[in-house]
Amino acid sequence: MEESSVERSLFVKPKRQNFLAAFRRVGLKAYANAAINYCEALLRIPKPRTLPVSIDIVLTKACNLRCIFCISYGSLKNDRWMNFDLYERIARKLFPSALGLFICSGGEPFLYPRLRDALKLARQYRTMTTITSNGMLLNRKNAQWLVEDQSLHELCISFDGATKGTLERIRRGANFDTILENISYLTNLKKKAGVIYPRLWLRYVVMKSNATELPDVFQLCATHGLYKVDVKYLTVSNDIDFDESLHSHPELAREVFSEARRQAREHRVGVQLPALPGSSDRGRKCLDPWQFLQIDTDGSLRFCYQGWRQRLGFFDEDFESIWRGEHYQRIRRTIDSDRPYFPHCSDCSVRLGVNSESSHNQRIDPETFLIPGLEQWQIAFNKREEENILSFRELKSGV
């Protein structure tokens, strides 16, 4: 049976009290902003009255791992850390009207020295919080304050294999057993304290070499207290072989996804799967330039995850004049056109779905990730081989 363009999802229904607890943690201003924002996005209003609903803040670009598909291999120096004063200014301006704060991009969040303070501040503004972590630094000390503060609502663990060999091959520097022990400790601590947060789930980047292990992660999740698995396709953006992409292996994807659904039901773990390659998936209407904002460690602004090479200015330069300014307006006006202001909008997986190779391979035409004429706000395409050499040299020397 052919997959539809909508992601196939299977969820364990949350308890009613959990839903109410989450609902009460967000301010009315944020709900009102989100409702109006959604209408503005659907109507394609180029100069919205509302502010972003979802904010992704890169607190650090430093990471303790060197994953094989990553495009950002960095050291622990210089501009790879956000100044906390900048974070506080962002919070005052944007958190009251935002539904969610995501600390999911860049490096490993638990390396950021003031992560606890950052989450506490978000809770003061009644903003829901999500962190993506590799799990290696989720030690007992961090688990204890997470349970004590209840300031982190969702903790996503990036975990791309059901066996030690596969996980540690993909996530260089990770320890399979340590990550699972850390998760179990936090789960048991939550049970003893009788608290809801953080809710734990797993993100699995599926590729040819780890696809057959995807069904086996559901038993791991059930055992260790993770409530769902979010599956994402590998996006090739470094020197990894494109043959790793399941775009080239649709039958493998079909077989694995079918078994993953069966295992999810058996173990009562939620699963989110992308549409299958070769299906009738035609993408959807993109809302990111209205709803989403990413702020990098230096305060630079990005309008979507695909726009990681193209900044539109800096937060401290007067955020609202940028958010409602010329460049944002041109992106919004042309996002559905044949010649969008941000060229990659024509090739984006949100618009095209999963059947186009450009949805899986960012190396096809890297220049589409840049807006002509805005060179002053562009960054170079990372070359993983060069950064890999430098980062391992630093790792070896203890820098």
Side-chain angles (χ1 to χ4, degrees), residues 60-136:
T60 178
K61 292 183 179 178
C63 191
N64 52 327
L65 302 186
R66 302 293 184 268
C67 302
I68 63 172
F69 53 80
C70 186
I71 59 172
S72 182
Y73 283 78
S75 68
L76 312 183
K77 299 182 294 185
N78 302 327
D79 64 348
R80 295 189 175 273
W81 309 89
M82 177 174 282
N83 185 291
F84 198 76
D85 290 339
L86 171 60
Y87 177 85
E88 290 178 311
R89 293 194 295 276
I90 294 168
R92 284 195 298 271
K93 179 67 179 177
L94 298 179
F95 286 9
S97 55
L99 289 181
L101 166 66
F102 299 86
I103 304 173
C104 304
S105 302
E108 168 54 47
F110 284 98
L111 282 171
Y112 189 67
R114 299 193 64 179
L115 178 61
R116 186 177 186 180
D117 294 333
L119 292 172
K120 281 184 174 181
L121 187 57
R123 182 173 183 182
Q124 290 177 22
Y125 285 103
R126 300 180 69 184
T127 304
M128 298 294 284
T129 51
T130 299
I131 280 179
T132 298
S133 168
N134 58 52
M136 283 296 294

Coordinates of all heavy atoms in Angstrom, one line a residue, residues 60-136:
T60 N 25.9 26.7 21.9 CA 27.3 26.4 21.7 C 27.5 25.6 20.4 O 26.6 24.8 20.0 CB 27.9 25.6 22.8 OG1 29.3 25.3 22.5 CG2 27.1 24.3 23.1
K61 N 28.6 25.8 19.7 CA 28.9 24.9 18.6 C 29.9 23.8 18.9 O 30.4 23.1 18.1 CB 29.5 25.8 17.4 CG 28.4 26.7 16.8 CD 29.0 27.5 15.6 CE 27.9 28.3 15.0 NZ 28.5 29.1 13.9
A62 N 30.3 23.8 20.2 CA 31.3 22.8 20.7 C 30.6 21.5 20.8 O 29.4 21.4 21.2 CB 31.9 23.3 22.0
C63 N 31.3 20.4 20.5 CA 30.7 19.1 20.6 C 31.8 18.1 21.1 O 33.0 18.3 20.7 CB 30.1 18.6 19.3 SG 29.1 17.1 19.5
N64 N 31.4 17.1 21.9 CA 32.3 16.1 22.4 C 32.3 14.9 21.5 O 33.1 14.0 21.7 CB 31.8 15.7 23.8 CG 30.4 15.3 23.8 OD1 29.5 15.8 23.1 ND2 30.1 14.3 24.7
L65 N 31.5 14.9 20.4 CA 31.6 13.8 19.4 C 31.9 14.3 18.0 O 31.9 15.5 17.8 CB 30.2 13.1 19.4 CG 29.6 12.5 20.7 CD1 28.4 11.7 20.4 CD2 30.7 11.6 21.4
R66 N 32.2 13.4 17.1 CA 32.5 13.7 15.7 C 31.7 12.8 14.8 O 32.3 11.8 14.3 CB 34.1 13.5 15.5 CG 35.0 14.4 16.4 CD 34.8 15.9 16.1 NE 35.7 16.7 16.9 CZ 35.5 17.2 18.0 NH1 34.3 17.0 18.6 NH2 36.3 17.9 18.7
C67 N 30.5 13.0 14.7 CA 29.6 12.1 14.0 C 29.9 12.2 12.5 O 30.2 13.2 11.9 CB 28.1 12.5 14.2 SG 27.7 12.5 16.0
I68 N 29.7 11.0 11.8 CA 30.2 10.9 10.4 C 29.4 11.7 9.4 O 29.9 12.0 8.3 CB 30.2 9.4 10.0 CG1 28.8 8.8 10.0 CG2 31.1 8.6 10.8 CD1 28.7 7.5 9.3
F69 N 28.2 12.1 9.8 CA 27.4 12.9 8.8 C 27.3 14.4 9.2 O 26.6 15.1 8.5 CB 26.0 12.3 8.7 CG 25.3 12.1 10.0 CD1 24.6 13.2 10.6 CD2 25.2 10.9 10.6 CE1 24.0 13.1 11.8 CE2 24.5 10.7 11.8 CZ 23.9 11.8 12.4
C70 N 28.0 14.8 10.2 CA 27.9 16.2 10.6 C 28.7 17.1 9.7 O 29.7 16.8 9.1 CB 28.4 16.3 12.1 SG 28.2 17.9 12.8
I71 N 28.1 18.4 9.6 CA 28.8 19.4 8.8 C 29.6 20.4 9.7 O 30.1 21.3 9.2 CB 27.8 20.1 7.9 CG1 26.8 20.8 8.7 CG2 27.3 19.2 6.9 CD1 25.9 21.7 7.9
S72 N 29.5 20.2 11.0 CA 30.1 21.2 11.9 C 31.1 20.5 12.9 O 30.6 20.0 13.9 CB 29.1 22.0 12.6 OG 29.7 23.0 13.4
Y73 N 32.3 20.4 12.5 CA 33.3 19.8 13.4 C 34.1 21.0 14.0 O 35.0 21.5 13.3 CB 34.3 18.9 12.6 CG 33.7 17.5 12.3 CD1 32.9 17.4 11.2 CD2 34.1 16.4 13.0 CE1 32.4 16.1 10.9 CE2 33.6 15.2 12.7 CZ 32.8 15.0 11.6 OH 32.3 13.8 11.3
G74 N 33.8 21.3 15.2 CA 34.5 22.5 15.7 C 35.2 22.3 17.0 O 35.1 21.3 17.6
S75 N 36.0 23.3 17.4 CA 36.7 23.2 18.6 C 35.9 23.9 19.7 O 34.7 24.3 19.5 CB 38.1 24.0 18.5 OG 37.8 25.3 18.3
L76 N 36.5 24.0 20.9 CA 35.7 24.6 22.0 C 36.2 26.0 22.3 O 36.3 26.5 23.4 CB 36.0 23.8 23.3 CG 35.8 22.2 23.2 CD1 36.1 21.6 24.5 CD2 34.5 21.9 22.6
K77 N 36.5 26.8 21.2 CA 37.1 28.1 21.4 C 36.3 29.2 20.7 O 35.4 29.0 19.9 CB 38.5 28.1 20.7 CG 39.4 27.1 21.4 CD 40.8 27.2 20.8 CE 40.8 26.8 19.3 NZ 42.2 26.7 18.8
N78 N 36.6 30.4 21.2 CA 36.1 31.7 20.5 C 34.6 31.8 20.4 O 33.9 31.7 21.3 CB 36.8 31.9 19.2 CG 38.3 31.9 19.4 OD1 38.8 32.4 20.4 ND2 39.1 31.4 18.4
D79 N 34.1 32.0 19.1 CA 32.7 32.3 18.9 C 31.8 31.1 19.0 O 30.6 31.1 18.6 CB 32.5 33.0 17.6 CG 32.9 32.1 16.4 OD1 33.5 31.0 16.6 OD2 32.6 32.4 15.2
R80 N 32.3 30.0 19.5 CA 31.4 28.8 19.6 C 30.6 28.7 20.9 O 30.0 27.7 21.2 CB 32.3 27.5 19.5 CG 33.0 27.4 18.1 CD 33.7 26.1 17.9 NE 34.2 26.1 16.5 CZ 33.5 25.7 15.4 NH1 32.2 25.3 15.6 NH2 34.0 25.7 14.3
W81 N 30.5 29.9 21.6 CA 29.7 29.9 22.8 C 28.9 31.2 22.8 O 29.4 32.3 22.5 CB 30.6 30.0 24.1 CG 31.6 28.9 24.1 CD1 32.9 28.9 23.6 CD2 31.4 27.6 24.6 NE1 33.5 27.7 23.8 CE2 32.6 26.8 24.4 CE3 30.4 26.9 25.3 CZ2 32.8 25.5 24.9 CZ3 30.5 25.6 25.7 CH2 31.7 24.9 25.5
M82 N 27.6 31.2 23.1 CA 26.8 32.4 23.1 C 27.0 33.1 24.5 O 27.0 32.5 25.5 CB 25.3 32.0 23.0 CG 24.4 33.3 23.1 SD 22.6 32.9 22.7 CE 22.7 32.9 20.9
N83 N 27.2 34.4 24.4 CA 27.3 35.2 25.6 C 26.0 35.2 26.3 O 24.9 35.4 25.7 CB 27.7 36.6 25.2 CG 28.0 37.5 26.4 OD1 27.0 37.8 27.1 ND2 29.2 37.9 26.6
F84 N 26.0 34.9 27.6 CA 24.7 34.8 28.3 C 23.9 36.1 28.4 O 22.7 36.1 28.4 CB 24.9 34.3 29.8 CG 23.7 33.7 30.4 CD1 23.2 32.5 30.0 CD2 22.9 34.5 31.3 CE1 22.0 32.0 30.6 CE2 21.8 34.0 31.9 CZ 21.3 32.7 31.5
D85 N 24.6 37.2 28.3 CA 23.9 38.5 28.3 C 23.1 38.6 27.0 O 21.9 39.1 27.0 CB 24.9 39.7 28.3 CG 25.6 39.8 29.7 OD1 25.0 39.3 30.7 OD2 26.6 40.5 29.7
L86 N 23.6 38.1 25.9 CA 22.8 38.1 24.6 C 21.6 37.2 24.8 O 20.5 37.5 24.3 CB 23.7 37.6 23.5 CG 23.0 37.3 22.1 CD1 22.3 38.6 21.6 CD2 24.0 36.8 21.1
Y87 N 21.8 36.0 25.4 CA 20.7 35.1 25.6 C 19.6 35.8 26.4 O 18.4 35.7 26.1 CB 21.2 33.9 26.3 CG 20.1 32.9 26.7 CD1 19.6 31.9 25.7 CD2 19.4 32.9 27.9 CE1 18.6 31.0 26.0 CE2 18.4 32.0 28.2 CZ 18.0 31.1 27.3 OH 17.0 30.2 27.6
E88 N 19.9 36.6 27.5 CA 19.0 37.2 28.3 C 18.2 38.3 27.5 O 17.0 38.5 27.7 CB 19.6 37.9 29.5 CG 20.1 36.9 30.5 CD 20.9 37.5 31.7 OE1 21.7 38.4 31.4 OE2 20.5 37.2 32.8
R89 N 18.9 39.0 26.6 CA 18.2 40.0 25.8 C 17.2 39.3 24.8 O 16.1 39.8 24.6 CB 19.2 40.8 25.0 CG 20.1 41.7 25.9 CD 20.8 42.8 25.1 NE 21.8 42.2 24.2 CZ 23.1 41.9 24.5 NH1 23.5 42.0 25.8 NH2 23.9 41.4 23.6
I90 N 17.6 38.2 24.2 CA 16.7 37.4 23.4 C 15.5 37.0 24.1 O 14.4 37.1 23.6 CB 17.5 36.2 22.8 CG1 18.6 36.7 21.8 CG2 16.5 35.3 22.0 CD1 19.5 35.6 21.4
A91 N 15.7 36.5 25.3 CA 14.6 36.0 26.2 C 13.6 37.1 26.5 O 12.4 36.9 26.3 CB 15.2 35.4 27.5
R92 N 14.1 38.3 26.8 CA 13.2 39.4 27.2 C 12.3 39.8 25.9 O 11.1 40.1 26.1 CB 14.0 40.6 27.6 CG 14.5 40.5 29.0 CD 14.9 41.9 29.6 NE 16.0 42.4 28.8 CZ 17.3 42.2 29.1 NH1 17.7 41.4 30.1 NH2 18.3 42.7 28.3
K93 N 12.9 39.7 24.8 CA 12.2 40.2 23.6 C 11.3 39.1 23.0 O 10.2 39.5 22.6 CB 13.3 40.6 22.5 CG 12.7 41.1 21.2 CD 11.9 42.4 21.3 CE 11.4 42.8 20.0 NZ 10.6 44.1 20.2
L94 N 11.7 37.9 23.0 CA 11.0 36.9 22.2 C 10.3 35.8 22.9 O 9.4 35.2 22.4 CB 12.0 36.2 21.2 CG 12.6 37.2 20.1 CD1 13.6 36.4 19.2 CD2 11.6 37.9 19.3
F95 N 10.8 35.5 24.1 CA 10.2 34.3 24.8 C 8.7 34.5 25.2 O 8.0 33.6 25.2 CB 11.0 34.0 26.1 CG 12.3 33.3 25.8 CD1 12.8 33.2 24.5 CD2 13.1 32.8 26.8 CE1 14.0 32.5 24.2 CE2 14.3 32.1 26.5 CZ 14.8 32.0 25.2
P96 N 8.3 35.7 25.7 CA 6.9 35.9 26.1 C 5.9 35.5 25.0 O 4.8 35.1 25.3 CB 6.8 37.3 26.4 CG 8.2 37.7 26.8 CD 9.1 37.0 25.9
S97 N 6.3 35.6 23.7 CA 5.3 35.4 22.6 C 5.6 34.0 21.9 O 5.0 33.7 20.9 CB 5.4 36.5 21.6 OG 6.7 36.7 21.1
A98 N 6.6 33.3 22.4 CA 7.0 32.0 21.7 C 6.4 30.8 22.5 O 6.4 30.8 23.7 CB 8.5 31.9 21.7
L99 N 5.9 29.9 21.7 CA 5.5 28.6 22.3 C 6.6 27.7 22.7 O 6.6 27.1 23.8 CB 4.6 27.8 21.3 CG 3.3 28.3 20.9 CD1 2.6 27.4 19.9 CD2 2.4 28.5 22.2
G100 N 7.7 27.7 22.0 CA 8.8 26.8 22.2 C 10.2 27.3 22.0 O 10.4 28.0 21.0
L101 N 11.1 26.9 22.9 CA 12.5 27.2 22.7 C 13.2 25.8 22.4 O 13.0 24.9 23.2 CB 13.1 27.8 24.0 CG 14.6 27.8 24.1 CD1 15.3 28.7 23.0 CD2 15.1 28.2 25.5
F102 N 13.9 25.8 21.3 CA 14.6 24.6 21.0 C 16.1 24.8 21.0 O 16.6 25.8 20.4 CB 14.2 24.2 19.5 CG 12.8 23.9 19.4 CD1 11.9 24.9 19.2 CD2 12.3 22.6 19.6 CE1 10.5 24.6 19.1 CE2 10.9 22.3 19.5 CZ 10.0 23.3 19.2
I103 N 16.8 24.0 21.8 CA 18.3 24.0 21.8 C 18.7 22.7 21.2 O 19.0 21.7 21.9 CB 18.8 24.2 23.3 CG1 18.1 25.4 23.9 CG2 20.3 24.3 23.4 CD1 18.4 25.6 25.4
C104 N 18.7 22.7 19.9 CA 18.8 21.5 19.1 C 19.9 21.6 18.0 O 20.1 20.6 17.4 CB 17.5 21.1 18.5 SG 16.2 21.0 19.7
S105 N 20.5 22.7 17.8 CA 21.4 22.9 16.7 C 22.8 23.2 17.2 O 22.9 23.6 18.3 CB 20.9 23.9 15.7 OG 19.6 23.6 15.2
G106 N 23.8 23.1 16.3 CA 25.1 23.4 16.7 C 25.8 22.3 17.4 O 26.0 21.2 16.8
G107 N 26.2 22.5 18.7 CA 27.0 21.5 19.4 C 26.2 20.8 20.4 O 25.0 20.6 20.3
E108 N 26.9 20.3 21.5 CA 26.2 19.5 22.5 C 25.8 20.5 23.6 O 26.6 21.1 24.3 CB 27.2 18.5 23.1 CG 26.8 17.8 24.4 CD 25.4 17.2 24.4 OE1 25.1 16.5 23.4 OE2 24.6 17.5 25.3
P109 N 24.5 20.6 23.9 CA 24.0 21.6 24.9 C 24.6 21.5 26.3 O 24.7 22.5 27.0 CB 22.5 21.4 24.8 CG 22.2 20.8 23.5 CD 23.4 20.0 23.2
F110 N 24.8 20.2 26.7 CA 25.3 20.0 28.1 C 26.8 20.5 28.2 O 27.3 20.4 29.4 CB 25.1 18.6 28.5 CG 23.7 18.3 28.8 CD1 22.8 17.7 27.9 CD2 23.2 18.6 30.1 CE1 21.5 17.4 28.2 CE2 21.8 18.4 30.4 CZ 21.0 17.8 29.5
L111 N 27.4 20.9 27.2 CA 28.7 21.6 27.3 C 28.6 23.0 27.7 O 29.6 23.7 28.1 CB 29.5 21.5 26.0 CG 30.2 20.1 25.7 CD1 30.7 20.1 24.3 CD2 31.3 19.8 26.7
Y112 N 27.4 23.6 27.5 CA 27.2 25.1 27.8 C 27.2 25.3 29.3 O 26.4 24.7 30.0 CB 25.9 25.5 27.1 CG 25.8 27.0 27.2 CD1 26.6 27.9 26.4 CD2 24.8 27.6 28.0 CE1 26.4 29.2 26.5 CE2 24.6 29.0 28.0 CZ 25.4 29.8 27.3 OH 25.3 31.2 27.3
P113 N 28.1 26.1 29.8 CA 28.3 26.3 31.2 C 27.0 26.7 32.0 O 26.9 26.4 33.1 CB 29.4 27.3 31.4 CG 30.1 27.2 30.1 CD 29.1 26.9 29.0
R114 N 26.2 27.5 31.3 CA 25.0 28.1 32.0 C 23.7 27.5 31.4 O 22.7 28.2 31.4 CB 25.0 29.6 31.9 CG 26.3 30.2 32.6 CD 26.1 31.7 32.8 NE 25.0 32.0 33.7 CZ 24.7 33.3 34.1 NH1 25.4 34.3 33.6 NH2 23.7 33.5 34.9
L115 N 23.7 26.3 31.0 CA 22.5 25.6 30.5 C 21.4 25.6 31.5 O 20.2 25.9 31.2 CB 22.8 24.2 30.0 CG 21.7 23.4 29.5 CD1 21.1 24.1 28.2 CD2 22.0 22.0 29.2
R116 N 21.7 25.3 32.7 CA 20.7 25.3 33.8 C 20.0 26.7 33.9 O 18.8 26.8 34.0 CB 21.3 24.9 35.1 CG 20.2 24.7 36.2 CD 20.8 24.2 37.5 NE 19.8 23.9 38.5 CZ 20.1 23.4 39.7 NH1 21.3 23.1 40.1 NH2 19.1 23.2 40.6
D117 N 20.8 27.7 33.9 CA 20.3 29.1 34.0 C 19.4 29.4 32.8 O 18.4 30.1 32.9 CB 21.4 30.1 34.2 CG 22.2 30.0 35.4 OD1 21.6 29.5 36.4 OD2 23.4 30.3 35.5
A118 N 19.9 29.0 31.6 CA 19.1 29.3 30.4 C 17.8 28.6 30.4 O 16.8 29.3 30.0 CB 19.9 28.7 29.2
L119 N 17.7 27.4 30.9 CA 16.4 26.7 31.0 C 15.5 27.4 32.1 O 14.3 27.5 31.9 CB 16.6 25.3 31.3 CG 17.2 24.5 30.1 CD1 17.5 23.1 30.6 CD2 16.3 24.4 28.9
K120 N 16.1 27.7 33.2 CA 15.3 28.4 34.3 C 14.7 29.7 33.8 O 13.5 30.0 34.1 CB 16.2 28.7 35.5 CG 16.4 27.5 36.4 CD 17.2 27.9 37.6 CE 17.4 26.8 38.6 NZ 18.2 27.2 39.8
L121 N 15.4 30.4 33.0 CA 14.9 31.7 32.4 C 13.8 31.5 31.5 O 12.8 32.2 31.5 CB 16.1 32.5 31.7 CG 15.8 33.9 31.3 CD1 15.3 34.8 32.5 CD2 17.0 34.5 30.6
A122 N 13.9 30.4 30.7 CA 12.8 30.1 29.7 C 11.5 29.8 30.5 O 10.4 30.1 30.1 CB 13.2 29.0 28.8
R123 N 11.7 29.1 31.6 CA 10.5 28.7 32.4 C 9.9 29.9 33.0 O 8.7 30.0 33.1 CB 10.9 27.7 33.5 CG 9.7 27.3 34.3 CD 10.0 26.2 35.3 NE 8.7 25.8 36.0 CZ 8.6 24.9 37.0 NH1 9.7 24.3 37.4 NH2 7.5 24.7 37.6
Q124 N 10.7 30.9 33.4 CA 10.1 32.1 34.0 C 9.2 32.9 33.0 O 8.2 33.5 33.3 CB 11.3 33.1 34.4 CG 12.0 32.6 35.6 CD 13.2 33.6 36.0 OE1 13.2 34.7 35.6 NE2 14.2 33.0 36.7
Y125 N 9.6 32.8 31.7 CA 8.8 33.4 30.6 C 7.7 32.5 30.1 O 7.0 32.8 29.2 CB 9.7 33.8 29.5 CG 10.5 35.0 29.8 CD1 11.9 35.0 30.1 CD2 9.9 36.3 29.7 CE1 12.6 36.1 30.3 CE2 10.7 37.5 29.9 CZ 12.0 37.3 30.2 OH 12.8 38.5 30.5
R126 N 7.6 31.3 30.7 CA 6.5 30.3 30.4 C 6.7 29.9 28.9 O 5.7 29.8 28.2 CB 5.2 30.9 30.7 CG 5.0 31.2 32.1 CD 3.6 31.8 32.4 NE 2.6 30.8 32.2 CZ 1.2 31.0 32.3 NH1 0.8 32.2 32.6 NH2 0.4 30.0 32.2
T127 N 7.9 29.5 28.6 CA 8.2 29.0 27.2 C 8.6 27.5 27.3 O 9.4 27.2 28.1 CB 9.3 29.8 26.6 OG1 9.0 31.1 26.5 CG2 9.6 29.3 25.2
M128 N 7.9 26.6 26.6 CA 8.3 25.2 26.6 C 9.7 25.0 26.0 O 10.0 25.7 25.0 CB 7.2 24.4 25.8 CG 5.8 24.5 26.4 SD 5.7 23.7 28.0 CE 5.6 22.0 27.5
T129 N 10.4 24.0 26.5 CA 11.8 23.9 26.1 C 12.1 22.4 25.6 O 11.6 21.5 26.2 CB 12.7 24.2 27.3 OG1 12.3 23.4 28.4 CG2 12.7 25.7 27.6
T130 N 12.9 22.4 24.6 CA 13.4 21.1 24.1 C 14.9 21.1 23.8 O 15.4 22.1 23.3 CB 12.7 20.8 22.7 OG1 11.2 20.7 22.9 CG2 13.1 19.4 22.2
I131 N 15.6 20.1 24.2 CA 17.0 20.0 24.0 C 17.2 18.7 23.2 O 16.6 17.6 23.5 CB 17.8 19.9 25.3 CG1 18.0 21.4 25.8 CG2 19.1 19.3 25.1 CD1 18.7 21.4 27.2
T132 N 18.2 18.7 22.2 CA 18.7 17.6 21.6 C 20.1 17.3 22.0 O 20.9 18.2 21.9 CB 18.6 17.7 20.0 OG1 17.3 17.9 19.6 CG2 19.2 16.5 19.4
S133 N 20.4 16.1 22.6 CA 21.7 15.8 23.1 C 22.1 14.5 22.6 O 21.3 13.6 22.3 CB 21.6 15.8 24.7 OG 22.7 15.2 25.3
N134 N 23.5 14.2 22.6 CA 24.0 12.9 22.3 C 23.9 12.0 23.5 O 24.2 10.8 23.4 CB 25.4 13.0 21.7 CG 26.4 13.7 22.6 OD1 26.5 13.3 23.8 ND2 27.1 14.6 22.0
G135 N 23.6 12.5 24.7 CA 23.4 11.7 25.9 C 24.7 11.3 26.7 O 24.6 10.8 27.8
M136 N 25.8 11.6 26.1 CA 27.1 11.3 26.8 C 27.3 12.1 28.1 O 27.9 11.6 29.1 CB 28.3 11.5 25.9 CG 28.4 10.4 24.9 SD 28.8 8.8 25.6 CE 30.4 9.1 26.3

